[in-house]
Amino acid sequence: MSRIAVIGTGYVGLTTGAYLAHIGHEVICADVVKEKVDRLSRGDVPIFELGLEDLVRSGLKSGLLRFVVGSERAVGDAEFVFLCLPTPQGAGGGADLSFIEAEAEHLGPLLAPGTVVINKSTVPVGSTRRVERGLGRGDVFVVSNPEFLREGSAVHDCLNPDRIVIGADSAAAATRVASLYERINAPVLVTDPASSELIKYASNAFLATKISYVNAIANLCEVVGADVKEVVLGMGYDKRIGFEFLRPGPGWGGSCFPKDTKALVKIAQDAGYNFGLLDGVIDVNVEQYARMADKIQGACPDAVLDGRTVAVWGLTFKAMTDDLRDSPSLEVVRRLHERGASVRAFDPQVNPQQAQTDRRLEGVTICADPYDACTGAAAVAVLTEWDEFRWLDFEKVRDLLAAPVIVDCRNLLDPAAMRKRGFAYHGVGR
Ligand code: UGA
């Protein structure tokens, strides 16, 4: 058992802290927001993430997990300090490291000799060095150990990682970090800090590339009369390609891919390398938002959106999360608004009150259920792949809509079944 401090209780910090306690370590999680710490100390998790609340509650019950206000109250006895702080997009597209650097300066004088400080957040190449400088200590270690969890399956991903990556100059510090994960069955790659930092960006950018690629193929399918589902199936059987991350849709979003792809372009640019491939990946993604708006417009009677109502199913950036950050659905909604449409939306994780305080939802009527959203709408667009949208009463949906039109931007529904029920069905790439 090791004594661990986790600084920051956002997605990565909270999941990391809870799972490190779950695998037997003594963990103190620190945050600056008192209300959040109070809630977490009661076992009340402010984000919707499968299994996370159970993990937090069992950690609190066992006494292995605690929450405190202020990082200085967490690090005194810690052998390991995980930095899980935000790295928002800064000016020029690069990651803004100011939270991490400020915390390093704050914690430097407080750490016990021999402490290992671990960068868990996605940080640009060179950040390990910047944290070392911020700490200003020759007797502590700084190690990169990026996190690869996905929202919606964060707990599962932490407990069943594909790999554990550790970037360290000191072999002894790397071995100590590896020992934290003794109970996890996964390959451990020990490398230098810069390679470790780049592995995280290269992985996210590659996944984004796969999605932009399949979206481009889906667009091509539409013009040559092919079916992207068949194309992906035929590609995926090739083990070098695989089936994962080849689901076409309205484009990729969320708190990671948009920010990390831009940051990687900037990292390359600053180093004098023109990463044109990744620029193309980002461009395809932005075009995809507009293509979805075009698709919805084209499906409406006379291809007119102005003055019409569109029903939208799904607002979060993907299913099984309540996260609206950089959501492709909201990008499409914005374009529908620009073209004069009103939007009535339903999402299982967005409630009508939220629309009054959340500026991202400005102008959207949030409905209590998917049927209500369809009332009088010229078309319904599926923009997030919530499973419950498959199992609706589609006769009722058809009767509520002003015209029986479904634009399935996630290829969630069965086109034949929809057409049999009398809908004009439009998918992506088929
Ligand atoms: C992503 C990575 O998958 C994680 O490995 C990484 O740890 C995380 O970012 C991070 O850097 O913290 P996440 O943002 O939670 O995880 O979401 P993903 O499941 O990767 O989905 C990202 C976007 O791509 C979503 O908008 C999703 O709908 C879209 N997507 C995904 C597709 O359009 N098609 C696909 O086939 C897969």
Side-chain angles (χ1 to χ4, degrees):
M1 180 205 281
S2 298
R3 290 186 307 278
I4 297 173
V6 175
I7 314 303
T9 60
Y11 238 102
V12 171
L14 184 57
T15 315
T16 303
Y19 112 89
L20 287 170
H22 176 76
I23 58 174
H25 301 295
E26 205 177 299
V27 181
I28 305 180
C29 292
D31 204 286
V32 285
V33 183
K34 182 175 180 307
E35 299 78 64
K36 196 173 179 191
V37 168
D38 289 346
R39 275 183 76 172
L40 288 168
S41 302
R42 293 194 301 270
D44 178 8
V45 171
I47 46 176
F48 171 71
E49 183 62 48
L50 199 67
L52 186 56
E53 198 155 82
D54 289 344
L55 216 60
V56 167
R57 287 184 180 173
S58 66
L60 290 168
K61 203 164 160 211
S62 68
L64 288 176
L65 182 64
R66 285 193 291 138
F67 296 93
V68 297
V69 180
S71 52
E72 61 285 351
R73 294 184 55 208
V75 298
D77 277 342
E79 300 159 87
F80 300 90
V81 176
F82 281 85
L83 298 180
C84 301
L85 295 157
T87 52
Q89 196 176 306
D96 173 2
L97 279 187
S98 54
F99 291 103
I100 288 185
E101 290 186 320
E103 201 55 65
E105 281 170 31
H106 176 57
L107 294 180
L110 308 175
L111 302 178
T115 304
V116 182
V117 176
I118 300 158
N119 266 337
K120 196 74 171 157
S121 329
T122 306
V123 287
V125 178
S127 298
T128 305
R129 301 272 172 270
R130 284 169 73 169
V131 171
E132 276 167 359
R133 279 200 295 277
L135 291 167
R137 293 270 300 260
D139 58 348
V140 299
F141 303 95
V142 183
V143 169
S144 158
N145 172 218
E147 183 50 63
F148 299 99
L149 62 82
R150 288 163 299 175
E151 292 186 21
S153 53
V155 172
H156 172 272
D157 292 350
C158 277
L159 293 169
N160 306 279
D162 289 335
R163 76 298 209 187
I164 291 164
V165 175
I166 300 170
D169 290 322
S170 152
T175 306
R176 282 176 63 197
V177 175
S179 74
L180 293 176
Y181 300 105
E182 255 164 21
R183 293 178 64 184
I184 301 290
N185 183 17
V188 177
L189 172 72
V190 176
T191 182
D192 60 281
S195 301
S196 169
E197 288 160 348
L198 195 55
I199 284 167
K200 175 62 198 256
Y201 280 101
S203 302
N204 273 4
F206 184 71
L207 293 170
T209 303
K210 276 188 99 173
I211 305 166
S212 276
Y213 184 81
V214 81
N215 282 339
I217 291 292
N219 299 339
L220 189 57
C221 283
E222 289 179 7
V223 285
V224 301
D227 181 339
V228 73
K229 280 222 161 169
E230 301 295 315
V231 174
V232 166
L233 202 60
M235 288 166 65
Y237 281 119
D238 185 330
K239 290 188 195 66
R240 295 168 302 174
I241 298 172
F243 295 103
E244 299 281 317
F245 270 68
L246 287 177
R247 272 179 289 115
W252 36 266
S255 65
C256 304
F257 286 0
K259 164 174 80 72
D260 293 350
T261 45
K262 285 196 198 104
L264 186 53
V265 166
K266 181 76 168 58
I267 290 168
Q269 198 181 58
D270 290 349
Y273 176 69
N274 173 16
F275 206 151
L277 171 64
L278 201 48
D279 283 325
V281 167
I282 296 168
D283 288 347
V284 167
N285 197 50
V286 175
E287 282 161 22
Q288 196 69 4
Y289 303 147
R291 280 189 80 95
M292 294 303 113
D294 291 347
K295 199 181 266 298
I296 295 165
Q297 179 162 356
C300 286
D302 306 320
V304 171
L305 276 175
D306 197 17
R308 289 228 158 89
T309 300
V310 175
V312 162
W313 287 348
L315 292 167
T316 54
F317 84 95
K318 63 174 182 179
M320 296 307 288
T321 177
D322 56 2
D323 201 339
L324 292 172
R325 284 177 290 177
D326 278 337
S327 170
S329 172
L330 292 180
E331 289 288 345
V332 176
V333 166
R334 186 162 65 78
R335 286 163 177 77
L336 298 178
H337 278 155
E338 280 167 6
R339 299 177 193 190
S342 307
V343 172
R344 294 175 64 78
F346 169 77
D347 187 289
Q349 285 297 320
V350 178
N351 63 47
Q353 290 89 295
Q354 197 175 333
Q356 282 151 26
T357 50
D358 192 330
R359 289 200 54 203
R360 293 168 298 188
L361 299 172
E362 225 166 62
V364 183
T365 304
I366 304 293
C367 301
D369 63 54
Y371 303 107
D372 186 19
C374 289
T375 310
V380 55
V382 182
L383 282 165
T384 311
E385 72 284 21
W386 288 100
D387 199 51
E388 64 185 80
F389 297 151
R390 291 176 204 267
W391 314 111
L392 298 172
D393 175 349
F394 281 94
E395 266 81 42
K396 186 170 168 186
V397 171
R398 191 192 55 213
D399 294 343
L400 286 166
L401 287 167
V405 177
I406 292 189
V407 185
D408 184 0
C409 301
R410 294 279 187 172
N411 287 349
L412 185 74
L413 307 169
D414 177 0
M418 291 303 125
R419 288 183 183 126
K420 207 168 146 208
R421 287 192 173 96
F423 285 99
Y425 173 90
H426 307 266
V428 178
R430 55 180 175 155

